[in-house]
């Protein structure tokens, strides 16, 4: 087993809690006190996920690995009396001096954001999708289902109908949190159920494109909230999403003006809200045609 691994120090802000014993060169803090983590959360989360998996295994080698990570040495830096502004500046400096912080990573660090908490909750606890299927650090992914940032946008669109979060009013609060979380969990479960086989192969299919996923979420929101025709989310998946051609050979997308790259033989989904709205409209039309419902789309 490899043991010569070094991680940069985890950085915490104690916010005045704890005391440093100069004589023994030790920092002491009560177990009931908490500190704010400014850098290293993704490493801690990785250890938590790995520990959870190994604890569920009865394999002898896995138990050895469990013992290893439980005793893994970590370096820690603790700042005792930083102001909130200094904490923000330190976090920004640590994460931006070498490279720009991705939206995905920022969401994983967010505090006092219920949609951010919802995303982390789902990634850690979805009943059928394991945490490793989500990208929690990089700004994009070609091997996993989606990034945390994409899931964040889906959650807002699905529950509030909002495509662009900036300056938009959302309705999530402590009372709606559990319902909204369940909506997103169900959305992901149904997406896995009704997506084509090998749908994560982006060279063949485009359903896992972030803008497309938001378009699916937007279609569900419209049916539920503007037409009151969709009581069961699975209704849309059965009558539109499952029947839609998600392959890169789909010709409907060309008809609505989504550009197709003849060299890569893949559609190019631009930034902005246009693609999301187009996908939503295509799905609503397919649903209306299949079910006979009259929708003003």
């Amino acid at each position: 087993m490899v043991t010569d691994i070094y991680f940069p120090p985890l950085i915490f802000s104690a916010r005045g809690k704890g005391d440093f014993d100069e004589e023994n060169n030790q920092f002491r803090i009560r177990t009931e006190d908490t500190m704010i983590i400014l850098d290293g959360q993704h490493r801690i989360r990785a250890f938590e996920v790995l520990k959870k998996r190994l604890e569920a295994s009865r394999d002898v080698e896995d138990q050895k690995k469990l013992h290893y990570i439980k005793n893994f040495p970590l370096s820690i830096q603790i700042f005792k009396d930083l102001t909130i502004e200094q904490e923000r500046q330190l976090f920004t400096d640590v994460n931006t001096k070498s490279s720009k912080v991705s939206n995905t990573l920022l969401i994983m660090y967010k505090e006092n954001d219920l949609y951010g908490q919802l995303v982390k909750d789902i990634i850690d606890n979805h009943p059928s999708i394991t945490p490793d299927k989500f990208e929690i650090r990089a700004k994009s992914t070609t091997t996993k289902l989606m990034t945390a940032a994409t899931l964040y946008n889906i959650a807002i669109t699905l529950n509030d109908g909002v495509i662009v979060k900036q300056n938009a009013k959302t309705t999530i609060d402590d009372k709606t949190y559990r319902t909204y979380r369940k909506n997103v969990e169900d959305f992901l479960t149904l997406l896995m159920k009704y997506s084509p086989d090998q749908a994560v192969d982006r060279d063949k299919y485009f359903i896992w494109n972030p803008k497309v996923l938001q378009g699916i979420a937007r279609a569900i929101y419209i049916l539920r909230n503007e037409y009151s025709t969709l009581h069961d989310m699975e209704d849309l998946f059965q009558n539109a999403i499952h029947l839609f051609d998600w392959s890169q050979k789909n010709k409907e997308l060309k008809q609505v003006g989504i550009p197709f790259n003849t060299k890569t033989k893949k559609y190019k989904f631009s930034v902005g809200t246009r693609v999301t709205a187009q996908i939503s409209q295509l799905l609503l039309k397919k649903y209306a045609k299949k079910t006979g419902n009259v929708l003003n789309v």
Side-chain angles (χ1 to χ4, degrees):
M1 184 180 295
V2 178
T3 57
D4 55 344
I5 300 174
Y6 172 76
F7 285 118
L10 307 174
I11 302 177
F12 293 88
S13 174
R15 293 185 176 177
K17 298 174 182 176
D19 293 293
F20 183 72
D21 183 347
E22 293 187 6
E23 183 177 346
N24 296 301
N25 198 31
Q26 293 179 337
F27 178 80
R28 296 190 177 99
I29 188 170
R30 298 181 304 173
T31 55
E32 60 265 31
D33 288 335
T34 59
M35 296 190 295
I36 304 301
I37 185 165
L38 302 179
D39 186 59
Q41 184 173 353
H42 57 285
R43 277 164 275 163
I44 292 175
R45 292 177 66 83
F47 271 96
E48 288 175 345
V49 171
L50 181 58
K51 178 174 173 287
K52 187 176 180 180
R53 288 189 188 174
L54 293 175
E55 285 177 336
S57 173
R58 296 183 179 180
D59 184 79
V60 174
E61 288 301 315
D62 285 345
Q63 292 305 305
K64 291 180 180 179
K65 294 175 183 177
L66 179 61
H67 176 76
Y68 173 70
I69 67 168
K70 282 184 175 181
N71 294 277
F72 192 90
L74 292 172
S75 299
I76 296 177
Q77 290 181 351
I78 300 174
F79 292 85
K80 192 170 184 293
D81 296 304
L82 294 179
T83 65
I84 299 299
E85 287 302 317
Q86 287 174 325
E87 287 180 0
R88 291 174 179 169
Q89 187 62 53
L90 180 57
F91 171 78
T92 301
D93 289 346
V94 168
N95 287 285
T96 61
K97 291 302 182 181
S98 58
S99 61
K100 183 179 179 181
V101 180
S102 70
N103 286 337
T104 297
L105 190 57
L106 287 174
I107 286 168
M108 299 306 294
Y109 273 92
K110 275 187 177 182
E111 293 184 17
N112 302 320
D113 182 337
L114 283 177
Y115 268 121
Q117 180 58 46
L118 181 150
V119 166
K120 288 178 277 191
D121 195 356
I122 290 175
I123 289 175
D124 286 340
N125 301 297
H126 191 281
S128 60
I129 304 175
T130 56
D132 62 307
K133 297 296 184 183
F134 299 92
E135 175 55 60
I136 61 172
R137 182 170 175 81
K139 67 178 182 179
S140 62
T141 181
T142 58
T143 58
K144 300 185 180 183
L145 298 180
M146 65 185 72
T147 66
T150 296
L151 184 56
Y152 184 85
N153 292 334
I154 289 172
I156 294 174
T157 303
L158 184 67
N159 291 299
D160 276 307
V162 176
I163 296 179
V164 180
K165 171 66 163 63
Q166 187 175 7
N167 299 323
K169 184 178 180 181
T170 59
T171 59
I172 190 170
D173 55 28
D174 291 338
K175 293 181 180 179
T176 60
Y177 180 87
R178 294 184 68 177
T179 300
Y180 285 11
R181 183 188 65 189
K182 183 65 165 56
N183 287 342
V184 180
E185 284 181 351
D186 290 346
F187 177 88
L188 293 175
T189 299
L190 292 169
L191 197 61
M192 294 295 291
K193 180 179 179 180
Y194 288 100
S195 292
D197 293 337
Q198 300 178 339
V200 291
D201 185 344
R202 271 78 170 180
D203 290 332
K204 293 181 179 179
Y205 300 99
F206 58 85
I207 189 171
W208 289 103
N209 177 275
K211 295 296 180 183
V212 172
L213 292 172
Q214 225 178 331
I216 297 172
R218 174 65 176 165
I220 293 174
Y221 174 85
I222 290 174
L223 284 175
R224 277 184 152 182
N225 295 276
E226 296 186 21
Y227 294 101
S228 299
T229 57
L230 185 63
H231 302 291
D232 181 358
M233 195 186 299
E234 192 162 10
D235 186 22
L236 179 68
F237 277 88
Q238 289 176 332
N239 292 300
I241 296 167
H242 184 56
L243 304 176
F244 196 79
D245 181 6
W246 297 107
S247 75
Q248 298 288 355
K249 297 179 181 180
N250 184 312
K251 296 181 179 180
E252 284 186 274
L253 271 61
K254 291 182 181 178
Q255 296 172 1
V256 297
I258 296 178
F260 184 79
N261 188 317
T262 55
K263 291 184 178 180
T264 63
K265 298 188 183 303
K266 295 191 294 184
Y267 281 98
K268 183 179 180 180
F269 298 100
S270 59
V271 296
T273 62
R274 181 170 173 264
V275 169
T276 296
Q278 288 173 319
I279 293 295
S280 177
Q281 293 296 304
L282 288 172
L283 289 173
L284 291 173
K285 288 179 180 178
K286 185 168 287 293
Y287 177 82
K289 183 177 180 181
K290 176 65 176 178
T291 63
N293 291 322
V294 178
L295 308 178
N296 296 319
V297 295

